[in-house]
Amino acid sequence: MPAFSSRSLENLRGVHSELVRLMHLSIRDTHVDFTITEGVRTTSRQQSLYARGRTAPGPIITSCDGIRKKSNHQPHGDGYGYAVDLYPFIDGKVQVEDAANLCRIAAHIKRTAQEQGIDVEWGGDWKMRDYPHFELKTSRSGNPIGTMNGFER
């Protein structure tokens, strides 16, 4: 049975408990092992990602500048990040170019989320595809939508 490495567990620190719970439930019976590569981001980290393809080399990878438009990786008002990035972990290596297995992992996580009443969104469903990205859906107030500790939001 797959289990998270200490690196994945560290990357889940500061992430909202419902998303952490979903990741733990999903890793238990996944057909494709995966690793959490990023959870909470600082403003500085988000700004550096936003700079890619603009003022720094590389392709544009985010529309969130970290200040005017914050990423769900950045802590919300409750102090928690609402997003994680993950990749398949096969033969002891992170597989960053494996879209097929990311799609398999996503289907499994989305099914697990539905079973658990956790409202999650996968970046692979977006117009600007972000296959490694999963986040809790949030309301305008920033509160997660879905079942939270037995209470409906």
Side-chain angles (χ1 to χ4, degrees):
M1 172 172 60
F4 285 129
S5 67
S6 58
R7 176 180 159 202
S8 287
L9 293 173
E10 181 62 28
N11 288 335
L12 286 169
R13 287 186 63 203
V15 172
H16 194 280
S17 62
E18 283 295 284
L19 189 54
V20 170
R21 184 168 75 90
L22 174 60
M23 293 299 117
H24 279 285
L25 290 169
S26 297
I27 195 72
R28 287 182 188 164
D29 61 352
T30 185
H31 294 291
V32 181
D33 195 6
F34 60 92
T35 185
I36 307 295
T37 57
E38 193 157 27
V40 175
R41 289 183 188 152
T42 63
T43 300
S44 175
R45 168 80 172 135
Q46 187 62 39
Q47 288 175 315
S48 75
L49 292 173
Y50 182 76
R52 287 189 190 171
R54 293 175 176 89
T55 59
I60 290 176
I61 59 171
T62 183
S63 61
C64 299
D65 65 6
I67 302 290
R68 281 177 249 115
K69 186 175 180 186
K70 292 191 175 190
S71 164
N72 277 318
H73 283 279
Q74 294 176 265
H76 284 228
D78 60 6
Y80 295 102
Y82 283 45
V84 297
D85 290 342
L86 58 83
Y87 285 99
F89 190 77
I90 301 169
D91 296 328
K93 296 179 184 172
V94 177
Q95 306 294 319
V96 297
E97 300 294 329
D98 191 347
N101 274 322
L102 274 169
C103 289
R104 288 182 189 95
I105 293 165
H108 173 65
I109 290 173
K110 289 164 58 174
R111 187 173 44 254
T112 303
Q114 185 175 22
E115 291 168 0
Q116 295 295 316
I118 299 171
D119 201 6
V120 70
E121 190 166 24
W122 176 44
D125 291 330
W126 298 343
K127 185 176 180 181
M128 184 178 159
R129 305 248 190 258
D130 189 357
Y131 289 105
H133 185 89
F134 292 84
E135 65 180 49
L136 289 177
K137 288 187 179 180
T138 57
S139 66
R140 290 187 184 169
S141 67
N143 294 323
I145 298 169
T147 305
M148 297 290 298
N149 302 321
F151 297 98
E152 290 294 320
R153 292 272 186 183

